Amino acid sequence: MLPLSLLNTAQGHPMLVELKNGETFNGHLVNCDNWMNLTLREVIQTSPEGDRFWRLPECYIRGNTIKYLRVPDEIIEMVKEDALRQQRHSQGGSVRGRGGQRGRGGGGRGNSGRGGRGGRGGDRVRRSGN
């Protein structure tokens, strides 16, 4: 499960964000980008000591200041289901992966494979007595 797919699924849902400086933000995720910058709505900000609270209509959090995110378990389940669905969908057509029948050493040039004869240089002549 990739973090950005989790965040994209979590849009519109509540989450808790703790920053490296200890502040926490509880709110509904509005948007996220590839750098994990977040926009939250209906936010309650808590001081690092936990003794002061602020209510904010909206806030922007830069991704590199985030220590961790807490999302509801239902969001994690949704992401897992989506990943399974995509995996089943991608397996439907072809069983082979990237590159067709040839895997590592599967013989792209003739029937050589890894370490086999052939490939560059053509046939090799063995001389006896040397």
Side-chain angles (χ1 to χ4, degrees):
M1 168 183 340
L2 296 173
L4 289 176
S5 64
L6 179 69
L7 285 175
N8 286 326
T9 305
Q11 288 186 16
H13 292 84
M15 67 177 353
L16 177 133
V17 180
E18 182 171 337
L19 303 185
K20 293 175 183 176
N21 67 6
E23 291 180 328
T24 61
F25 294 83
N26 276 295
H28 289 77
L29 180 63
V30 174
N31 200 3
C32 65
D33 63 15
N34 291 338
W35 296 273
M36 215 178 286
N37 298 323
L38 308 176
T39 305
L40 299 175
R41 281 218 173 101
E42 301 170 14
V43 182
I44 297 177
Q45 179 183 356
T46 306
S47 68
E49 299 80 26
D51 57 349
R52 290 176 285 159
F53 303 91
W54 298 271
R55 184 179 298 274
L56 308 169
E58 187 170 284
C59 74
Y60 178 83
I61 300 171
R62 187 174 163 130
N64 69 348
T65 64
I66 296 173
K67 184 177 182 179
Y68 74 85
L69 303 167
R70 174 80 187 200
V71 297
D73 292 336
E74 65 191 38
I75 303 299
I76 296 170
E77 293 302 319
M78 287 169 58
V79 172
K80 286 180 183 177
E81 290 171 7
D82 287 346
L84 283 173
R85 202 173 306 123
Q86 286 180 352
Q87 186 179 16
R88 280 192 220 117
H89 178 69
S90 67
Q91 289 178 351
S94 164
V95 177
R96 298 176 307 198
R98 190 175 138 188
Q101 285 284 349
R102 298 179 300 165
R104 290 184 63 117
R109 296 186 175 124
N111 290 337
S112 61
R114 270 184 90 120
R117 309 293 292 161
R120 294 186 184 167
D123 291 335
R124 205 167 154 184
V125 178
R126 290 187 174 222
R127 296 183 184 161
S128 62
N130 286 351

